[in-house]
Amino acid sequence: MQTALSLETIRKDFPILQRKVRENKLLVYLDNASTSQKPIQVIDAINDYYKNQNANIHRAVYALAEEATEAYENTRTKIAKFLNVQKREEIIFVRGTTEAINLVAYSWGRQNVNKGDIIVTTEYEHHSNIVPWQLLTKERGAKLEYIGVDDNGELILDQLDSYLETGKVKLVTFSQMSNVLGTITNTDEIIKRCKKVGVKTLIDGAQSVPHMKVDLSKLECDFFAFSAHKMLGPTGVGVLWVRKEVLETMQPFHGGGDMIREVHKYETTWNDLPYKFEAGTPNIADVIGFSAAIDYLNKIGMDNIRNHEIELTKYALDKMSKVKGITIYGPKDIAKRGGVISFNFHDVHPHDVATIIDKDGVAVRSGHHCAQVLMERLDVAATNRASFYVYNTKQEIDALIGSLNKVAELFKL
Amino acid sequence: MTGDPIYTEMIIEYSKHPSNFGEIENPDISQHDSNPLCGDSIDLQIKINENKVSDIKFKGKGCSICIACTSVLTELVKGKDLDEVKKIEKNDVLGELGLEHLIRTSPVRIKCALLSLKALKYGIYSYFIEKMKDEKSAGNLKEEATNLY
């Protein structure tokens, strides 16, 4: 990796990568699209907060509370800078991508989506970008439509045009990178077409932000959501970014402490942005842990991370395609995909594959990946998925290939 | 991979060539069950004659463990008296394939192995309750099915 840090140094920062699993096998962790491992810097930051700073934020005047508030709010500023956002009040802390999308569906959706309106999503969405819209459209008498996926694993954008032509579309919501196929969405093109007819856009960045540079000052979407735990940070923290002009029109999601200005018996006025959308005591420790994760990513550099993953993905695709009986899904063009490779063996159930290779300490995901709509489109019950991150090595991919060859041998493929 | 505790020759063979795979016309018991975790899904069909299982078939999609265990279960059950079938336990199925260790070693995969036994217990329970109106014969089968894994 062309960076100030060598791969060897990076791996030493992740205590879990030193452990053995099953029969004394070194862990080969290839389920990063599900959640990433955490460097010691993140673990220490959370520990340090509980040991030295633990206090509730935004309220008390004593020293601890001041320090905790500062650490929490500094993270907001850091994230704004990370995404090139000028207005830090556009950054809302939530539990994760799922909560972020639900917030938009509940708050913005119920105010703006009415009978006969259309919400457009895609066939390669995670359930978290489908189910909230099913709930909303059913409640409002609106319709949910899907942009299809072609045989190369890319979106069929002509279908977007036909939905937009109806004049009824209120929102187009899509993932910037498919969590199953690894396809990188042609985000600029979708947003351009939507803006031309005044339709709002939401981007699910859960798979993209951890792996490539995202500049929100250039993307002209209206909502953007992602999670900390897929980018070296802790679970239970995520971010919703909303363009200020839109955020200012939105009613609160949750009511409670911290989101209010004044509460009287029958009337309440709201706190300023972003606090209006952060009811209750937030996940302070993990937000502070997230701050350390962003420092770590910045130290390596997002472009270096992307390049490292391109190299690993190329290497893996080349070797995997030579394994007997294997089918690999998603775009062939490396520029169009992230470090996520879904595959199946002819006639071998993905759970059998995962169990066999788990014995060698290789962790891949098997199942529907919370993308059952896509599984239907691919006409499979499930797939196996290997996904890479900053600490993975070519030797680990070799270990995966060795285990996959065992599967082929065992099932006589 | 010789000596693999799960993927024995027998399991691979059963998964490629399952026993009693197919459908029965006018079955007396039709029971569907699925495993939400991995998407294993099976349909058991049974024909009863004079309180005996005169025929049993299954269809479904599943991993090799699920298909092998279902095959073995259908072989165990075919031709047997319902009173005997009711008594079939986990290890009767697992033992045939040397998979008893899954109970200890794999809380995830044991669900694949026992899905068909669960469906069988539910199916016989419903047969006694709904068709025969015989609560006594149905006994604890529903609880046994629910608590199987």
Side-chain angles (χ1 to χ4, degrees):
Chain A
M1 207 179 302
Q2 294 297 310
T3 156
L5 292 173
S6 73
L7 195 46
E8 200 185 334
T9 319
I10 289 172
R11 287 182 69 83
K12 278 192 191 138
D13 284 333
F14 291 78
I16 210 165
L17 299 179
Q18 325 303 324
R19 72 158 282 188
K20 303 276 176 70
V21 290
R22 300 302 179 199
E23 285 157 35
N24 210 27
K25 297 282 170 25
L26 198 63
L27 172 69
V28 175
Y29 185 78
L30 300 177
D31 192 19
N32 295 289
S34 185
T35 195
S36 73
Q37 297 302 343
K38 324 301 173 198
I40 191 69
Q41 290 83 344
V42 168
I43 299 165
D44 284 348
I46 296 167
N47 253 328
D48 183 63
Y49 165 76
Y50 280 128
K51 277 188 191 158
N52 296 310
Q53 293 182 314
N54 180 46
N56 214 328
I57 55 168
H58 297 150
R59 293 179 184 85
V61 294
Y62 51 83
L64 281 188
E66 221 170 63
E67 284 177 28
T69 304
E70 197 186 338
Y72 181 87
E73 288 302 331
N74 281 348
T75 309
R76 198 188 308 274
T77 309
K78 194 173 286 178
I79 291 166
K81 204 170 158 216
F82 184 71
L83 298 171
N84 204 8
V85 164
Q86 307 307 315
K87 299 168 184 153
R88 64 188 294 285
E89 65 273 25
E90 293 176 336
I91 305 278
I92 300 162
F93 284 119
V94 289
R95 275 190 301 154
T97 309
T98 299
E99 189 178 62
I101 296 173
N102 276 277
L103 191 161
V104 177
Y106 183 94
S107 170
W108 180 86
R110 288 161 118 217
Q111 276 171 261
N112 293 285
V113 177
N114 296 304
K115 198 169 170 12
D117 287 343
I118 296 173
I119 303 280
V120 177
T121 183
T122 87
E123 279 182 348
Y124 67 41
E125 294 313 302
H126 188 281
H127 294 162
S128 61
N129 203 12
I130 291 177
V131 183
W133 307 113
Q134 289 176 343
L135 291 170
L136 175 73
T137 49
K138 284 201 174 119
E139 182 189 317
R140 309 297 296 174
K143 256 174 100 176
L144 183 59
E145 299 280 12
Y146 288 83
I147 301 174
V149 175
D150 68 17
D151 291 338
N152 197 34
E154 294 178 58
L155 296 179
I156 305 167
L157 291 190
D158 290 353
Q159 295 180 0
L160 169 65
D161 294 334
S162 62
Y163 296 133
L164 291 176
E165 275 164 22
T166 64
K168 289 178 179 167
V169 177
K170 282 290 169 76
L171 178 77
V172 176
T173 179
F174 60 96
S175 161
Q176 196 170 15
M177 189 200 288
S178 159
N179 72 318
V180 177
L181 302 170
T183 315
I184 298 171
T185 309
N186 192 346
T187 305
D188 290 337
E189 185 59 34
I190 295 180
I191 294 173
K192 196 177 90 190
R193 294 187 196 187
C194 290
K195 277 197 84 89
K196 211 185 273 176
V197 285
V199 168
K200 295 209 160 31
T201 45
L202 184 154
I203 296 179
D204 170 354
Q207 296 296 336
S208 55
V209 177
H211 303 281
M212 59 175 76
K213 179 136 196 63
V214 172
D215 184 337
L216 284 182
S217 74
K218 289 195 184 130
L219 277 181
E220 294 192 64
C221 61
D222 299 284
F223 308 95
F224 192 97
F226 63 101
S227 301
H229 73 96
K230 293 186 202 287
M231 50 193 293
L232 312 183
T235 53
V237 177
V239 166
L240 172 66
W241 170 88
V242 185
R243 184 177 299 289
K244 195 170 180 187
E245 302 92 88
V246 181
L247 195 56
E248 278 171 334
T249 67
M250 283 165 57
Q251 289 297 307
F253 179 38
H254 293 148
D258 219 25
M259 52 83 71
I260 52 88
R261 178 168 307 283
E262 278 178 39
V263 177
H264 304 286
K265 258 185 174 168
Y266 303 106
E267 289 299 328
T268 292
T269 49
W270 312 130
N271 199 344
D272 294 333
L273 298 174
Y275 311 109
K276 176 179 167 184
F277 293 95
E278 290 182 4
T281 298
N283 189 350
I284 305 164
D286 291 319
V287 165
I288 290 168
F290 188 20
S291 178
I294 292 175
D295 288 341
Y296 198 91
L297 293 172
N298 279 333
K299 199 164 60 178
I300 301 172
M302 293 311 294
D303 289 335
N304 290 327
I305 292 173
R306 171 75 181 133
N307 287 336
H308 176 63
E309 288 177 21
I310 286 175
E311 206 176 305
L312 288 179
T313 308
K314 248 194 228 165
Y315 185 79
L317 281 173
D318 182 47
K319 294 216 156 185
M320 283 170 80
S321 58
K322 291 176 186 136
V323 175
K324 270 190 192 160
I326 210 167
T327 303
I328 295 170
Y329 303 99
K332 308 278 177 290
D333 181 356
I334 201 88
K336 287 183 175 172
R337 72 184 298 157
V340 175
I341 303 176
S342 272
F343 59 96
N344 264 332
F345 279 95
H346 175 64
D347 257 8
V348 185
H349 194 283
H351 268 93
D352 291 325
V353 177
T355 299
I356 292 165
I357 72 180
D358 168 58
K359 279 203 202 98
D360 295 335
V362 180
V364 301
R365 176 75 187 279
S366 58
H368 54 58
H369 317 290
C370 295
Q372 286 188 315
V373 170
L374 180 62
M375 295 296 116
E376 261 175 44
R377 164 66 183 84
L378 297 173
D379 196 24
V380 295
T383 69
N384 290 288
R385 178 187 68 187
S387 50
F388 314 124
Y389 209 10
V390 52
Y391 36 70
N392 287 124
T393 64
K394 286 185 180 167
Q395 289 90 319
E396 289 180 306
I397 291 170
D398 290 339
L400 168 70
I401 302 296
S403 301
L404 293 179
N405 281 326
K406 280 186 194 167
V407 175
E409 201 182 305
L410 196 59
F411 279 83
K412 303 178 180 119
L413 299 176
Chain B
M1 292 278 284
T2 44
D4 188 293
I6 297 178
Y7 295 97
T8 58
E9 194 73 17
M10 197 156 51
I11 290 201
I12 306 281
E13 266 312 301
Y14 267 123
S15 74
K16 294 194 162 203
H17 309 288
S19 308
N20 298 309
F21 197 82
E23 281 172 283
I24 296 176
E25 254 182 62
N26 303 318
D28 295 296
I29 297 174
S30 256
Q31 186 69 41
H32 172 83
D33 212 333
S34 65
N35 185 344
L37 189 86
C38 61
D40 286 345
S41 151
I42 58 155
D43 285 284
L44 269 188
Q45 295 188 321
I46 301 174
K47 193 88 189 156
I48 312 272
N49 257 328
E50 293 172 0
N51 215 40
K52 273 190 178 11
V53 174
S54 63
D55 199 7
I56 176 164
K57 286 217 169 4
F58 80 100
K59 278 192 98 166
K61 281 185 189 165
C63 64
S64 59
I65 297 176
C66 172
I67 300 297
C69 286
T70 309
S71 291
V72 163
L73 181 70
T74 60
E75 289 173 0
L76 277 176
V77 162
K78 208 165 175 174
K80 283 223 170 80
D81 202 275
L82 278 186
D83 292 332
E84 281 178 81
V85 172
K86 273 159 59 180
K87 288 185 210 142
I88 291 177
E89 289 177 6
K90 291 180 200 183
N91 277 334
D92 297 331
V93 178
L94 299 173
E96 292 285 325
L97 293 162
L99 288 176
E100 299 97 321
H101 62 90
L102 282 183
I103 296 178
R104 267 180 302 111
T105 57
S106 184
V108 178
R109 302 313 297 273
I110 193 72
K111 296 184 175 76
C112 311
L114 297 177
L115 178 67
S116 51
L117 182 58
K118 181 164 152 250
L120 178 73
K121 286 183 185 284
Y122 268 124
I124 297 177
Y125 176 84
S126 311
Y127 171 76
F128 280 126
I129 295 289
E130 284 159 25
K131 282 208 170 160
M132 309 306 283
K133 313 285 174 205
D134 180 356
E135 265 185 53
K136 191 160 163 266
S137 294
N140 291 326
L141 280 173
K142 194 176 171 188
E143 288 72 30
E144 281 178 34
T146 313
N147 299 322
L148 201 60
Y149 52 77

